Amino acid sequence: MNKQLHIFIILTGLLLPLSLPAQDNDVKAGVSISFDQEQEIWTGQQVTIYLDLKTTGFSFSNSYFNLPEVDGAFLMQTDTTTIKLTEKVDGQDWQIVRYPLALYPQKSGPLEIPSINVRFTTSAGFGSEEKAFEFETDPLELAAMLPPGAKPGDLVVTTTSFELEYDWQPSTEAAKTGDAVTLSVKRRAGDISAMLLPPLPVFRTQGLASYPQTPEISDKTDRGDLTGVRTDSITWIVEQPGTYEIPGIRFQRW
């Protein structure tokens, strides 16, 4: 039995404010959504989208927003950490709470993030009555490119770092009818959720039964830096005598 594992590495995101202001008595509020327009965006890459809640008031509370489905991409909140900012507009100070969101384009070409419904309350100052606001952001458009060497339809892992470990058990190539051989592959990638790492292809042939196991998936966040870890295992059981070759697996990374 010839057991192989091949790794193919290809090796490898704009600020456009979209605001809706509102005012209730002495308190103003608004939201904006933006992304860094200066970087090239590739399919599979994590693109940070900034959702900003703004007020001229003293504080925020009861914040809520729902993330829409994006055709051709995944939009998610990978970390509950927020960033507090201030800005001055026409001589008036605004308090800002920024929510970083992660967008993962899965196809090349134009993409549109639909409007996001946002609600929160704020007050003019300590002890003042809270005012409730509700907004919808404008849709946000961007475009993603296919990494060089990748084909349309390929699920390419675009990441700042990539580690791969694999193991065959047992390690011997000699087997008899009824024996089991298991391949385990562990992938660790930066700036990507583990759920976006593609499953292993399962080789099937007569006389060699294949049993893919439920993958182990975990995301770890350290000060805003996301690392996705996925471990896949496939077990083959020899049902008939013969010679079998399990093909190599090709991984693409940009």
Side-chain angles (χ1 to χ4, degrees):
M1 180 181 300
N2 183 11
K3 297 174 291 190
Q4 306 177 29
L5 188 73
H6 301 314
I7 304 173
F8 179 79
I9 298 180
I10 305 180
L11 278 187
T12 29
L14 300 209
L15 280 185
L16 179 62
L18 300 171
S19 301
L20 292 173
Q23 183 173 1
D24 194 338
N25 294 334
D26 296 329
V27 181
K28 298 178 182 178
V31 296
S32 68
I33 185 170
S34 60
F35 63 109
D36 184 3
Q37 299 187 50
E38 296 182 356
Q39 298 184 25
E40 295 177 317
I41 299 176
W42 305 96
T43 57
Q45 173 188 359
Q46 177 181 298
V47 182
T48 301
I49 305 296
Y50 301 111
L51 177 62
D52 292 352
L53 282 56
K54 305 181 178 184
T55 181
T56 60
F58 179 72
S59 62
F60 294 89
S61 61
N62 303 320
S63 301
Y64 168 84
F65 56 88
N66 64 322
L67 296 183
E69 293 188 1
V70 180
D71 184 25
F74 293 102
L75 179 64
M76 62 186 68
Q77 185 178 9
T78 59
D79 190 3
T80 58
T81 301
T82 58
I83 303 170
K84 294 183 179 180
L85 306 168
T86 60
E87 67 178 4
K88 188 178 291 291
V89 179
D90 296 330
Q92 191 167 29
D93 292 327
W94 287 73
Q95 309 297 321
I96 302 171
V97 173
R98 170 169 290 179
Y99 290 86
L101 309 175
L103 179 75
Y104 298 95
Q106 299 298 294
K107 68 177 184 179
S108 58
L111 296 169
E112 180 181 277
I113 300 176
S115 299
I116 301 175
N117 179 262
V118 182
R119 301 196 301 265
F120 60 90
T121 58
T122 184
S123 63
F126 182 76
S128 300
E129 180 184 357
E130 288 191 336
K131 306 297 182 181
F133 294 91
E134 183 171 357
F135 303 94
E136 281 198 356
T137 67
D138 287 344
L140 187 62
E141 296 182 352
L142 67 158
M145 299 180 293
L146 195 66
K151 299 178 182 179
D154 284 352
L155 186 56
V156 181
V157 177
T158 307
T159 175
T160 55
S161 63
F162 184 79
E163 298 177 12
L164 184 143
E165 303 171 11
Y166 70 95
D167 178 66
W168 287 98
Q169 291 294 332
S171 57
T172 178
E173 294 186 2
K176 60 181 182 296
T177 303
D179 283 356
V181 179
T182 299
L183 169 65
S184 297
V185 178
K186 183 176 184 178
R187 285 166 287 173
R188 181 182 291 104
D191 297 328
I192 188 171
S193 173
M195 64 175 289
L196 300 180
L197 295 172
L200 299 184
V202 181
F203 172 72
R204 291 182 171 88
T205 188
Q206 186 175 356
L208 193 65
S210 56
Y211 299 93
Q213 310 300 312
T214 301
E216 299 177 10
I217 296 176
S218 66
D219 288 338
K220 300 178 181 179
T221 303
D222 183 13
R223 298 180 180 180
D225 294 330
L226 174 67
T227 300
V229 181
R230 175 171 179 143
T231 301
D232 291 88
S233 297
I234 304 175
T235 297
W236 289 271
I237 297 179
V238 181
E239 297 182 325
Q240 300 175 10
T243 300
Y244 304 96
E245 180 177 340
I246 299 175
I249 302 174
R250 180 175 180 261
F251 294 90
Q252 294 190 91
R253 172 203 171 194
W254 170 257

